[in-house]
Amino acid sequence: MLGAIIGDISGSRFEFDYGNLTKVFEFINNDCDYTDDSVMTVAIAEGIMNAGKMADDKTIYHEVEKAMIKWGRRYPYAGYGHNFDKWLKSKTHRPYNSYGNGSAMRVSAVAYYYESLARTIEAARITAEITHNHPEGIKGATCTAAVIYLGRNGFSKEEILKYVLENYDYDLHETIEEMRARHEHVESCMDSLPKALRSFFAGNSYEDVVRNAISLGGDTDTLAAIAGAVAEGYYGNVGGYEEKARAILPKDMWEIVERFKKETGK
C-alpha cells in the first residue's frame, strides 16, 4: 500500500497537466502532498484489518465503509470527486454506480492482506461496491488487486500480462509514447487501468514505473498511485522513498501504515 501512497504524493503536483509530459523531474519535493488517493488507501487498510482475515463479506463491507467515512470526514479537503464527496456527506451512503478510478487507487492493501488470489479478488470487489458498483468500477479494483497479488507472489511480467489479457478486456496495445501523445485528463477505470498497467509493464524499477505513469499527464496522482501499488508488489520496494513519504503523511495516517506492516509483515 505504501507504493500507492508514494505514487500519489509524487504525482500530486502534476495533476491537470502541470508537468510537461516528461520522466525527468524531482521525484518528491516540497510541492508534493498526499491526496484523496492516500486517504482512502489508508481507510481501506484500516477497514480490512478491523474486519479481520476471516471476516465474512458483510463484515468487510461494513468495516471498510465505516473507515472510508471516518477518514474522509477527518480529511475532507483531500481532493475527492464530486460524487464521492456527496456520498461522504450523505446519511444513507448508497453506492452511486461509479466507474471512476477511485476504486482502483485505494485497493492495494487488499492484495497484501489475504492469502489467496480468489479471496483477494472477492475482497477487492467488496471494497469497490461500497461506492463504485458499476461493473467497470469493480473490474478496475479487482484487476489492480490481482496484479499486485501476482507480482508479490513471484509471477513474471509475462505471466501477469497473460493473466490480465485472459481475464480483463483492457486494451494494452499502446506504448507509453503513444499514450503520452494523446494525453488527456480522464478519471475512469477504463482509461486509467491501461495507462497504469502499461507504465508497469514498460518500467524497470519502482521509481521508473511511477515516472512512466506521471509522464502521461492528466490524472497523474491516481495513475501513479495505481502504477506505484503494482510496482511495489512486483519489485518488493518503494525506491527508498519511505521516509520522505512519512514526512508528508499525517501522523495518524502513518500509524495505519505501520499497523498494516506489523500485521502483514509487508
Side-chain angles (χ1 to χ4, degrees), residues 52-209:
K53 287 189 178 182
M54 303 306 294
D56 59 24
D57 292 0
K58 184 176 180 180
T59 302
I60 295 172
Y61 188 105
H62 172 73
E63 290 295 338
V64 171
E65 180 186 61
K66 185 167 66 173
M68 288 169 63
I69 295 166
K70 166 190 165 181
W71 287 97
R73 290 181 174 176
R74 184 176 292 183
Y75 292 96
Y77 305 114
Y80 306 108
H82 176 69
N83 288 330
F84 185 86
D85 192 55
K86 284 176 61 178
W87 175 87
L88 198 57
K89 294 173 181 175
S90 74
K91 295 181 180 179
T92 56
H93 303 294
R94 294 191 181 96
Y96 46 90
N97 201 38
S98 175
Y99 51 76
N101 54 22
S103 61
M105 58 82 164
R106 69 194 188 201
V107 77
S108 55
V110 170
Y112 291 93
Y113 195 66
Y114 298 98
E115 303 302 327
S116 72
L117 178 59
R119 189 55 176 153
T120 294
I121 291 171
E122 180 62 14
R125 177 190 64 78
I126 295 166
T127 68
E129 286 180 339
I130 294 168
T131 51
H132 292 54
N133 57 330
H134 188 283
E136 292 291 344
I138 294 168
K139 185 172 78 172
T142 57
C143 180
T144 301
V147 170
I148 298 169
Y149 181 91
L150 294 174
R152 78 174 184 84
N153 280 285
F155 284 72
S156 68
K157 286 192 178 184
E158 291 75 18
E159 290 170 323
I160 295 170
L161 177 59
K162 183 174 184 288
Y163 175 87
V164 172
L165 294 176
E166 289 178 351
N167 290 277
Y168 299 93
D169 59 350
Y170 291 121
D171 185 350
L172 298 177
H173 77 278
E174 286 185 295
T175 65
I176 288 291
E177 291 72 24
E178 289 169 336
M179 288 179 168
R180 192 180 296 126
R182 65 166 182 84
H183 77 280
E184 54 197 336
H185 190 104
V186 181
E187 298 183 1
S188 70
C189 280
M190 298 85 83
D191 185 79
S192 296
L193 263 294
K195 288 177 177 176
L197 289 171
R198 178 51 62 198
S199 296
F200 164 64
F201 289 124
N204 55 40
S205 68
Y206 173 82
E207 183 174 332
D208 191 50
V209 168

Side-chain angles (χ1 to χ4, degrees), residues 9 17 32 67 80 116 137 140 170 184 253 255:
I9 290 170
D17 289 342
C32 294
Y80 306 108
S116 72
Y170 291 121
E184 54 197 336
M253 291 172 63
E255 287 172 353

Side-chain angles (χ1 to χ4, degrees), residues 3-4 6-25 27 37 101 175-177 179-186 191-231:
I6 292 171
D8 173 44
I9 290 170
S10 182
S12 63
R13 72 189 191 276
F14 298 119
E15 191 176 15
F16 304 109
D17 289 342
Y18 287 127
N20 55 0
L21 305 181
T22 178
K23 292 175 65 173
V24 182
F25 54 84
F27 197 73
D37 301 49
N101 54 22
T175 65
I176 288 291
E177 291 72 24
M179 288 179 168
R180 192 180 296 126
R182 65 166 182 84
H183 77 280
E184 54 197 336
H185 190 104
V186 181
D191 185 79
S192 296
L193 263 294
K195 288 177 177 176
L197 289 171
R198 178 51 62 198
S199 296
F200 164 64
F201 289 124
N204 55 40
S205 68
Y206 173 82
E207 183 174 332
D208 191 50
V209 168
V210 173
R211 288 184 182 276
N212 279 340
I214 292 172
S215 77
L216 298 177
D219 195 11
T220 51
D221 58 332
T222 297
L223 291 178
I226 299 169
V230 171

